[in-house]
Coordinates of all heavy atoms in Angstrom, one line a residue:
R1 N 98.7 -107.2 30.7 CA 100.0 -106.9 30.1 C 100.9 -108.3 30.2 O 100.9 -108.8 31.3 CB 100.7 -105.9 31.0 CG 102.0 -105.5 30.6 CD 102.7 -104.3 31.3 NE 102.8 -103.3 30.3 CZ 103.1 -102.1 30.6 NH1 103.3 -101.6 31.7 NH2 103.3 -101.2 29.6
P2 N 101.7 -108.6 29.2 CA 102.5 -109.8 29.2 C 103.6 -109.6 30.2 O 104.1 -108.6 30.7 CB 103.1 -109.9 27.8 CG 102.1 -109.0 27.0 CD 101.7 -108.0 27.9
S3 N 104.1 -110.8 30.7 CA 105.1 -110.8 31.8 C 106.5 -110.8 31.1 O 107.5 -110.5 31.9 CB 105.0 -112.0 32.6 OG 105.1 -113.2 31.8
G4 N 106.6 -111.0 29.8 CA 107.9 -110.9 29.1 C 107.9 -109.8 28.1 O 107.0 -109.0 28.1
P5 N 109.0 -109.6 27.4 CA 109.2 -108.5 26.4 C 107.9 -108.7 25.4 O 107.5 -109.7 25.1 CB 110.4 -108.9 25.7 CG 111.3 -109.6 26.7 CD 110.2 -110.4 27.4
H6 N 107.4 -107.5 25.0 CA 106.3 -107.5 24.0 C 106.3 -106.3 23.3 O 106.9 -105.4 23.4 CB 104.9 -107.6 25.0 CG 104.9 -106.5 26.0 ND1 105.5 -106.6 27.1 CD2 104.2 -105.3 25.9 CE1 105.3 -105.4 27.8 NE2 104.6 -104.7 27.1
I7 N 105.3 -106.3 22.3 CA 105.0 -105.2 21.3 C 103.5 -104.7 21.5 O 102.7 -105.6 21.5 CB 105.4 -105.6 19.9 CG1 106.9 -105.9 19.8 CG2 104.9 -104.6 18.9 CD1 107.2 -106.7 18.6
A8 N 103.3 -103.5 21.6 CA 101.9 -103.0 21.5 C 101.6 -102.7 20.1 O 102.3 -102.2 19.3 CB 101.9 -101.7 22.3
R9 N 100.5 -103.2 19.7 CA 99.9 -103.1 18.3 C 98.5 -102.8 18.2 O 97.7 -103.3 19.0 CB 100.1 -104.4 17.6 CG 99.7 -104.5 16.2 CD 99.8 -105.9 15.5 NE 101.2 -106.3 15.4 CZ 101.5 -107.5 15.2 NH1 100.8 -108.6 15.2 NH2 102.9 -107.8 15.1
A10 N 98.2 -102.0 17.2 CA 96.8 -101.6 17.0 C 96.5 -101.6 15.4 O 97.5 -101.2 14.6 CB 96.5 -100.2 17.4
E11 N 95.5 -102.3 15.0 CA 95.1 -102.3 13.6 C 93.8 -101.5 13.5 O 92.9 -101.7 14.3 CB 94.8 -103.8 13.2 CG 96.0 -104.5 13.3 CD 95.6 -106.1 13.0 OE1 94.6 -106.6 13.0 OE2 96.7 -106.9 12.9
F12 N 93.7 -100.6 12.5 CA 92.6 -99.7 12.4 C 92.4 -99.4 11.0 O 93.3 -99.5 10.1 CB 92.9 -98.4 13.2 CG 94.2 -97.7 12.8 CD1 94.1 -96.7 11.9 CD2 95.3 -98.0 13.5 CE1 95.3 -96.0 11.6 CE2 96.5 -97.3 13.2 CZ 96.4 -96.3 12.1
Y13 N 91.2 -98.8 10.7 CA 90.9 -98.4 9.3 C 90.5 -96.9 9.3 O 89.9 -96.4 10.3 CB 89.6 -99.2 8.9 CG 89.0 -98.7 7.5 CD1 89.6 -99.1 6.4 CD2 87.9 -97.9 7.5 CE1 89.2 -98.6 5.1 CE2 87.4 -97.6 6.3 CZ 88.1 -97.9 5.1 OH 87.5 -97.4 4.0
I14 N 91.0 -96.1 8.4 CA 90.8 -94.7 8.2 C 89.7 -94.5 7.1 O 90.0 -94.9 5.9 CB 91.9 -93.8 8.1 CG1 92.9 -93.9 9.2 CG2 91.6 -92.4 7.7 CD1 94.2 -93.1 9.0
P15 N 88.6 -94.2 7.4 CA 87.5 -94.1 6.4 C 87.7 -92.8 5.5 O 88.4 -92.0 5.8 CB 86.1 -93.9 7.1 CG 86.7 -93.4 8.4 CD 88.0 -93.8 8.7
A16 N 87.2 -93.1 4.2 CA 87.2 -91.9 3.3 C 86.6 -90.6 3.9 O 85.6 -90.7 4.7 CB 86.5 -92.2 2.0
G17 N 87.2 -89.5 3.8 CA 86.7 -88.3 4.3 C 87.2 -88.0 5.7 O 87.0 -86.9 6.3
A18 N 87.8 -88.9 6.4 CA 88.5 -88.6 7.8 C 89.6 -87.7 7.6 O 90.4 -87.7 6.6 CB 89.0 -89.9 8.3
T19 N 89.6 -86.7 8.6 CA 90.6 -85.7 8.5 C 91.9 -86.0 9.2 O 92.9 -85.3 9.0 CB 89.9 -84.4 9.0 OG1 89.5 -84.6 10.3 CG2 88.9 -84.0 8.1
G20 N 91.8 -86.9 10.1 CA 93.0 -87.2 10.9 C 94.1 -88.0 10.1 O 93.7 -88.9 9.4
R21 N 95.2 -87.6 10.2 CA 96.2 -88.1 9.5 C 97.6 -88.5 10.3 O 98.5 -89.2 9.8 CB 96.8 -87.3 8.3 CG 95.7 -87.0 7.3 CD 95.4 -88.3 6.6 NE 94.5 -88.2 5.5 CZ 93.2 -88.9 5.6 NH1 93.0 -89.7 6.6 NH2 92.4 -88.7 4.7
R22 N 97.5 -88.1 11.6 CA 98.7 -88.6 12.4 C 97.9 -89.5 13.6 O 97.0 -89.0 14.3 CB 99.4 -87.4 13.2 CG 100.4 -87.8 14.1 CD 101.1 -86.6 14.6 NE 101.9 -85.9 13.7 CZ 103.2 -86.4 13.3 NH1 103.6 -87.5 13.8 NH2 103.8 -85.8 12.3
V23 N 98.5 -90.7 13.8 CA 97.9 -91.5 14.7 C 99.0 -91.8 15.7 O 100.2 -92.2 15.4 CB 97.4 -92.8 14.0 CG1 96.9 -93.8 15.0 CG2 96.3 -92.5 13.1
T24 N 98.7 -91.9 17.1 CA 99.6 -92.2 18.0 C 99.1 -93.4 18.9 O 97.9 -93.5 19.0 CB 100.0 -91.0 19.0 OG1 98.8 -90.5 19.5 CG2 100.6 -89.9 18.4
L25 N 100.1 -94.1 19.4 CA 99.7 -95.3 20.2 C 100.5 -95.1 21.6 O 101.7 -94.9 21.5 CB 100.2 -96.7 19.6 CG 99.9 -97.9 20.4 CD1 98.5 -98.2 20.8 CD2 100.6 -99.1 19.6
S26 N 99.8 -95.1 22.6 CA 100.5 -94.9 23.9 C 100.2 -96.0 24.9 O 99.0 -96.7 24.8 CB 99.8 -93.5 24.6 OG 100.0 -92.4 23.7
V27 N 101.0 -96.4 25.8 CA 100.9 -97.3 26.8 C 101.1 -96.5 28.1 O 102.2 -96.1 28.4 CB 101.9 -98.5 26.6 CG1 101.7 -99.5 27.8 CG2 101.7 -99.2 25.3
D28 N 100.1 -96.7 29.0 CA 100.1 -96.0 30.3 C 100.6 -94.5 30.2 O 101.4 -94.1 31.1 CB 101.1 -96.7 31.2 CG 100.6 -98.2 31.5 OD1 99.3 -98.3 31.6 OD2 101.4 -99.1 31.9
G29 N 100.2 -93.9 29.2 CA 100.3 -92.5 29.0 C 101.6 -92.1 28.3 O 101.7 -90.8 27.9
A30 N 102.4 -93.0 27.9 CA 103.6 -92.7 27.2 C 103.6 -93.1 25.7 O 103.2 -94.2 25.5 CB 104.9 -93.5 27.9
V31 N 103.8 -92.2 24.8 CA 103.8 -92.5 23.5 C 104.7 -93.6 23.1 O 105.9 -93.3 23.3 CB 103.9 -91.3 22.6 CG1 104.0 -91.6 21.1 CG2 102.7 -90.3 22.8
V32 N 104.3 -94.7 22.5 CA 105.2 -95.8 22.1 C 105.3 -95.8 20.5 O 106.3 -96.5 20.1 CB 105.0 -97.1 22.8 CG1 105.0 -96.9 24.2 CG2 103.6 -97.5 22.4
A33 N 104.5 -95.2 19.8 CA 104.5 -95.3 18.3 C 103.7 -94.3 17.8 O 102.7 -93.8 18.3 CB 104.0 -96.7 17.9
E34 N 104.2 -93.7 16.6 CA 103.5 -92.8 15.8 C 103.4 -93.1 14.4 O 104.4 -93.7 13.8 CB 104.2 -91.4 16.0 CG 104.0 -90.7 17.4 CD 104.6 -89.4 17.5 OE1 105.9 -89.4 17.4 OE2 103.9 -88.5 17.6
M35 N 102.4 -92.7 13.7 CA 102.2 -92.9 12.2 C 101.7 -91.5 11.7 O 100.7 -91.1 12.1 CB 101.3 -94.0 11.8 CG 101.1 -94.1 10.5 SD 99.9 -95.5 10.0 CE 100.9 -96.9 10.6
A36 N 102.6 -90.9 10.9 CA 102.2 -89.6 10.2 C 101.8 -89.9 8.7 O 102.2 -90.9 8.2 CB 103.5 -88.8 10.1
D37 N 101.0 -89.0 8.3 CA 100.4 -89.0 7.0 C 99.7 -90.3 6.5 O 99.7 -90.8 5.5 CB 101.5 -88.7 5.9 CG 102.2 -87.4 6.1 OD1 101.4 -86.4 6.5 OD2 103.4 -87.4 6.1
A38 N 99.0 -90.9 7.6 CA 98.2 -92.2 7.3 C 97.0 -91.8 6.4 O 96.3 -90.8 6.8 CB 97.7 -92.7 8.6
G39 N 96.8 -92.4 5.4 CA 95.7 -92.2 4.4 C 94.6 -93.2 4.6 O 94.7 -94.0 5.5
E40 N 93.7 -93.0 3.7 CA 92.4 -93.9 3.8 C 92.9 -95.3 3.6 O 93.8 -95.7 2.9 CB 91.5 -93.5 2.7 CG 90.4 -94.4 2.5 CD 89.4 -94.1 1.2 OE1 89.7 -92.9 0.7 OE2 88.5 -94.9 0.9
G41 N 92.1 -96.2 4.5 CA 92.5 -97.6 4.3 C 92.8 -98.2 5.7 O 92.8 -97.7 6.7
M42 N 93.3 -99.5 5.5 CA 93.7 -100.3 6.7 C 95.2 -99.9 7.1 O 96.0 -99.8 6.2 CB 93.7 -101.8 6.5 CG 92.2 -102.4 6.5 SD 91.5 -102.3 8.2 CE 92.6 -103.2 9.2
H43 N 95.5 -99.9 8.3 CA 96.8 -99.6 8.8 C 97.2 -100.5 10.2 O 96.2 -100.8 10.8 CB 96.9 -98.1 9.2 CG 96.8 -97.2 8.1 ND1 97.7 -97.0 7.1 CD2 95.6 -96.6 7.7 CE1 97.2 -96.1 6.2 NE2 96.0 -95.8 6.5
T44 N 98.4 -100.7 10.3 CA 98.8 -101.3 11.6 C 100.0 -100.4 12.1 O 100.8 -100.0 11.5 CB 99.4 -102.7 11.4 OG1 98.4 -103.6 10.8 CG2 100.0 -103.4 12.6
I45 N 99.8 -100.1 13.4 CA 100.9 -99.4 14.2 C 101.4 -100.1 15.2 O 100.6 -100.9 15.9 CB 100.2 -97.9 14.5 CG1 101.4 -97.1 15.2 CG2 99.2 -98.1 15.6 CD1 101.0 -95.7 15.4
E46 N 102.7 -100.2 15.5 CA 103.2 -101.0 16.5 C 104.3 -100.4 17.2 O 105.2 -99.6 16.6 CB 103.5 -102.4 16.1 CG 104.4 -102.6 15.0 CD 104.6 -104.1 14.8 OE1 103.6 -104.9 14.8 OE2 105.7 -104.6 14.3
S47 N 104.7 -100.7 18.4 CA 105.7 -100.1 19.2 C 107.0 -101.0 18.9 O 106.8 -102.0 18.3 CB 105.4 -100.3 20.7 OG 105.4 -101.6 21.2
K48 N 108.1 -100.4 19.4 CA 109.3 -101.2 19.5 C 109.1 -102.2 20.6 O 108.1 -102.1 21.4 CB 110.5 -100.4 19.7 CG 110.8 -99.5 18.6 CD 112.0 -98.6 18.8 CE 112.3 -97.8 17.7 NZ 113.4 -96.9 17.8
E49 N 110.1 -103.1 20.8 CA 109.9 -104.1 22.0 C 109.8 -103.3 23.3 O 110.6 -102.4 23.5 CB 111.0 -105.0 22.0 CG 110.9 -106.1 23.0 CD 111.9 -107.2 22.8 OE1 111.9 -107.9 21.8 OE2 112.8 -107.2 23.7
L50 N 108.8 -103.6 24.1 CA 108.7 -103.0 25.4 C 109.0 -104.0 26.6 O 108.9 -105.2 26.4 CB 107.2 -102.7 25.7 CG 106.6 -101.7 24.6 CD1 105.1 -101.5 24.8 CD2 107.3 -100.4 24.7
A51 N 109.6 -103.4 27.5 CA 109.9 -104.3 28.7 C 108.6 -104.7 29.6 O 107.7 -103.9 29.5 CB 110.9 -103.5 29.7
P52 N 108.7 -105.8 30.3 CA 107.4 -106.0 31.1 C 107.2 -105.0 32.1 O 108.2 -104.3 32.5 CB 107.9 -107.3 31.9 CG 109.1 -107.8 31.0 CD 109.7 -106.8 30.4
G53 N 106.0 -104.8 32.4 CA 105.6 -103.8 33.4 C 104.7 -104.4 34.5 O 104.8 -105.5 34.9
G54 N 103.8 -103.5 35.0 CA 102.9 -103.9 36.0 C 102.0 -105.0 35.5 O 101.9 -105.4 34.3
A55 N 101.0 -105.3 36.4 CA 99.9 -106.3 36.1 C 99.0 -105.9 35.0 O 98.4 -106.6 34.2 CB 99.3 -106.8 37.4
T56 N 98.6 -104.6 34.9 CA 97.8 -104.1 34.0 C 98.4 -102.9 33.1 O 99.4 -102.4 33.5 CB 96.5 -103.5 34.6 OG1 96.9 -102.4 35.5 CG2 95.8 -104.5 35.4
A57 N 97.8 -102.6 32.0 CA 98.2 -101.5 31.2 C 97.1 -100.9 30.5 O 96.1 -101.4 30.2 CB 99.2 -102.1 30.1
S58 N 97.2 -99.6 30.1 CA 96.2 -98.8 29.4 C 96.8 -98.6 28.0 O 97.8 -97.8 28.0 CB 95.9 -97.6 30.3 OG 95.0 -96.7 29.5
L59 N 96.1 -98.9 27.1 CA 96.5 -98.6 25.7 C 95.6 -97.6 25.0 O 94.3 -97.6 25.3 CB 96.5 -99.8 24.8 CG 97.7 -100.6 24.8 CD1 97.6 -101.7 26.0 CD2 97.8 -101.4 23.4
T60 N 96.1 -96.5 24.4 CA 95.4 -95.3 23.9 C 95.8 -95.1 22.5 O 97.0 -95.1 22.2 CB 95.6 -94.1 24.8 OG1 95.3 -94.3 26.1 CG2 94.8 -93.0 24.3
I61 N 94.8 -95.0 21.6 CA 94.9 -94.7 20.2 C 94.3 -93.3 20.1 O 93.1 -93.0 20.4 CB 94.3 -95.6 19.3 CG1 95.0 -97.1 19.5 CG2 94.5 -95.3 17.8 CD1 94.1 -98.0 20.4
A62 N 95.2 -92.4 19.5 CA 94.6 -91.1 19.2 C 95.0 -90.5 17.9 O 96.0 -91.0 17.3 CB 95.3 -90.1 20.3
T63 N 94.1 -89.6 17.3 CA 94.4 -89.0 16.1 C 94.5 -87.5 16.2 O 94.1 -86.9 17.3 CB 93.2 -89.2 15.1 OG1 92.1 -88.7 15.6 CG2 93.2 -90.7 14.8
D64 N 95.2 -86.8 15.3 CA 95.4 -85.4 15.4 C 94.1 -84.6 15.2 O 94.0 -83.5 15.8 CB 96.5 -85.0 14.5 CG 96.3 -85.2 13.1 OD1 95.3 -86.1 12.7 OD2 96.9 -84.6 12.3
R65 N 93.2 -85.1 14.5 CA 91.9 -84.3 14.2 C 90.8 -85.3 14.3 O 90.9 -86.5 13.6 CB 92.0 -83.5 12.8 CG 93.0 -82.4 12.9 CD 92.9 -81.6 11.5 NE 93.1 -82.6 10.4 CZ 94.2 -82.5 9.6 NH1 95.1 -81.7 9.9 NH2 94.3 -83.4 8.7
P66 N 89.7 -84.9 14.7 CA 88.5 -85.8 14.8 C 87.8 -85.8 13.4 O 88.0 -84.8 12.6 CB 87.5 -85.2 15.7 CG 87.9 -83.7 15.9 CD 89.4 -83.6 15.5
F67 N 87.0 -86.8 13.1 CA 86.2 -86.9 12.0 C 84.7 -86.8 12.3 O 84.3 -87.4 13.3 CB 86.4 -88.4 11.4 CG 85.6 -88.7 10.2 CD1 85.4 -87.9 9.1 CD2 84.9 -89.9 10.2 CE1 84.6 -88.2 8.0 CE2 84.1 -90.3 9.1 CZ 84.0 -89.4 8.1
L68 N 84.1 -85.9 11.6 CA 82.7 -85.6 12.0 C 81.9 -86.1 10.8 O 81.6 -85.3 9.8 CB 82.3 -84.1 12.3 CG 83.1 -83.6 13.4 CD1 83.0 -82.1 13.4 CD2 82.6 -84.3 14.6
P69 N 81.3 -87.4 10.7 CA 80.5 -87.9 9.6 C 79.3 -87.2 9.5 O 78.7 -86.6 10.4 CB 80.3 -89.3 10.0 CG 80.8 -89.5 11.3 CD 81.5 -88.3 11.8
P70 N 78.6 -87.1 8.2 CA 77.4 -86.4 8.0 C 76.2 -87.1 8.8 O 76.3 -88.3 9.0 CB 77.1 -86.7 6.5 CG 78.4 -87.1 5.9 CD 79.3 -87.7 7.1
N71 N 75.3 -86.4 9.4 CA 74.3 -86.7 10.1 C 74.6 -87.6 11.4 O 74.0 -88.4 11.9 CB 73.4 -87.6 9.3 CG 72.8 -86.8 8.2 OD1 72.5 -85.7 8.3 ND2 72.9 -87.4 6.9
D72 N 75.8 -87.2 12.0 CA 76.3 -87.9 13.2 C 77.1 -86.9 14.0 O 78.0 -86.3 13.4 CB 77.2 -89.1 12.8 CG 77.7 -90.0 14.0 OD1 77.6 -89.6 15.1 OD2 78.0 -91.2 13.7
Q73 N 76.7 -86.8 15.2 CA 77.2 -85.7 16.1 C 78.6 -86.2 16.9 O 79.2 -85.4 17.5 CB 76.3 -85.2 17.1 CG 75.0 -84.6 16.4 CD 75.4 -83.4 15.5 OE1 76.0 -82.5 15.8 NE2 74.9 -83.5 14.3
R74 N 78.8 -87.4 16.7 CA 80.0 -87.9 17.4 C 81.4 -87.5 16.7 O 81.4 -87.3 15.6 CB 80.0 -89.5 17.5 CG 78.8 -90.1 18.2 CD 78.8 -91.5 18.1 NE 78.6 -92.0 16.7 CZ 78.8 -93.2 16.2 NH1 79.2 -94.2 17.0 NH2 78.6 -93.4 14.9
R75 N 82.3 -87.3 17.6 CA 83.7 -87.0 17.2 C 84.4 -88.2 17.1 O 84.8 -88.9 18.1 CB 84.3 -86.0 18.1 CG 83.6 -84.6 18.2 CD 84.0 -83.7 19.3 NE 85.4 -83.4 19.3 CZ 86.0 -82.3 18.6 NH1 85.2 -81.6 17.9 NH2 87.2 -82.2 18.7
L76 N 84.7 -88.7 15.9 CA 85.3 -90.0 15.7 C 86.8 -89.8 15.1 O 87.2 -88.8 14.7 CB 84.5 -90.8 14.6 CG 83.1 -91.1 15.0 CD1 82.4 -91.7 13.7 CD2 82.8 -91.7 16.2
G77 N 87.6 -90.8 15.4 CA 89.1 -90.9 15.0 C 89.2 -91.9 13.9 O 89.3 -91.5 12.6
V78 N 89.3 -93.1 14.2 CA 89.5 -94.3 13.4 C 88.6 -95.4 13.7 O 88.0 -95.3 14.7 CB 91.0 -94.8 13.4 CG1 92.0 -93.7 13.0 CG2 91.3 -95.3 14.8
V79 N 88.5 -96.3 12.9 CA 87.7 -97.6 13.1 C 88.7 -98.6 13.6 O 89.5 -99.1 13.0 CB 87.0 -98.1 12.0 CG1 86.1 -99.4 12.2 CG2 86.1 -97.1 11.4
L80 N 88.6 -99.0 15.0 CA 89.6 -99.8 15.6 C 89.1 -101.3 15.2 O 88.0 -101.7 15.5 CB 89.5 -99.5 17.1 CG 90.6 -100.3 17.9 CD1 91.9 -100.0 17.5 CD2 90.4 -100.0 19.3
V81 N 90.2 -101.9 14.6 CA 89.9 -103.3 14.3 C 90.4 -104.3 15.4 O 89.8 -105.3 15.7 CB 90.5 -103.7 12.9 CG1 90.4 -105.1 12.5 CG2 90.0 -102.8 11.8
G82 N 91.6 -103.9 15.9 CA 92.1 -104.8 17.0 C 93.3 -104.1 17.7 O 94.0 -103.1 17.1
V83 N 93.4 -104.4 19.0 CA 94.5 -103.7 19.7 C 95.0 -104.7 20.8 O 94.2 -105.5 21.3 CB 94.1 -102.4 20.4 CG1 92.9 -102.6 21.3 CG2 95.3 -101.6 20.9
G84 N 96.2 -104.6 21.2 CA 96.8 -105.6 22.3 C 98.2 -105.7 22.2 O 98.9 -104.9 21.6
F85 N 98.7 -106.7 22.9 CA 100.1 -106.8 23.0 C 100.4 -108.3 22.4 O 99.6 -109.2 22.4 CB 100.6 -107.0 24.5 CG 100.4 -105.7 25.3 CD1 99.5 -105.6 26.3 CD2 101.3 -104.7 25.0 CE1 99.4 -104.4 27.0 CE2 101.3 -103.5 25.8 CZ 100.4 -103.4 26.7
V86 N 101.5 -108.2 21.7 CA 102.0 -109.5 21.1 C 103.4 -109.7 21.4 O 104.1 -108.9 21.9 CB 101.9 -109.4 19.5 CG1 100.4 -109.2 19.0 CG2 102.8 -108.2 18.9
G87 N 103.7 -111.0 21.4 CA 105.2 -111.4 21.6 C 106.2 -110.6 20.8 O 105.8 -110.3 19.7
R88 N 107.4 -110.6 21.2 CA 108.4 -109.9 20.3 C 108.7 -110.7 19.1 O 108.5 -111.9 19.0 CB 109.7 -109.8 21.2 CG 110.3 -111.1 21.6 CD 111.5 -110.8 22.5 NE 111.8 -111.9 23.2 CZ 112.8 -112.1 24.0 NH1 113.7 -111.2 24.1 NH2 113.0 -113.1 24.8
K89 N 109.1 -110.0 18.1 CA 109.4 -110.4 16.8 C 110.6 -111.2 16.7 O 111.7 -111.2 17.5 CB 109.6 -109.3 15.8 CG 108.2 -108.6 15.7 CD 108.4 -107.5 14.5 CE 107.1 -106.8 14.3 NZ 107.2 -105.7 13.4

């Protein structure tokens, strides 16, 4: 986790046929950004500026419904391209 003000950001892809349309980004269990009605394709979700915190942080990306691809028993959400903290804008 950065020592100064920062933004949490995730870049992800929603494949064709995925059923999840609401994506949330949480830091240490607190929701910091939400995206509703996300359609197929590439997306970026980011928080507002966050204050510095502890030495570590847990980022969580969640969708409202899992995607069950054909011939695959895994419960999937999105294809995560990148996630992390960036300096403030």
Side-chain angles (χ1 to χ4, degrees):
R1 176 176 249 176
S3 58
H6 56 279
I7 295 166
R9 177 186 293 160
E11 297 173 350
F12 57 93
Y13 176 77
I14 297 180
T19 56
R21 293 293 179 244
R22 176 175 294 279
V23 178
T24 58
L25 176 63
S26 301
V27 177
D28 293 331
V31 174
V32 295
E34 291 183 288
M35 180 181 288
D37 300 321
E40 175 185 344
M42 285 295 301
H43 298 278
T44 299
I45 186 172
E46 60 184 31
S47 69
K48 295 182 179 178
E49 187 173 287
L50 302 172
T56 63
S58 174
L59 277 81
T60 304
I61 298 98
T63 61
D64 57 343
R65 291 185 304 251
F67 173 52
L68 302 169
N71 302 316
D72 190 335
Q73 300 303 313
R74 296 176 295 164
R75 296 168 58 88
L76 307 175
V78 299
V79 178
L80 186 60
V81 177
V83 65
F85 293 108
V86 295
R88 62 181 154 177
K89 292 182 178 180

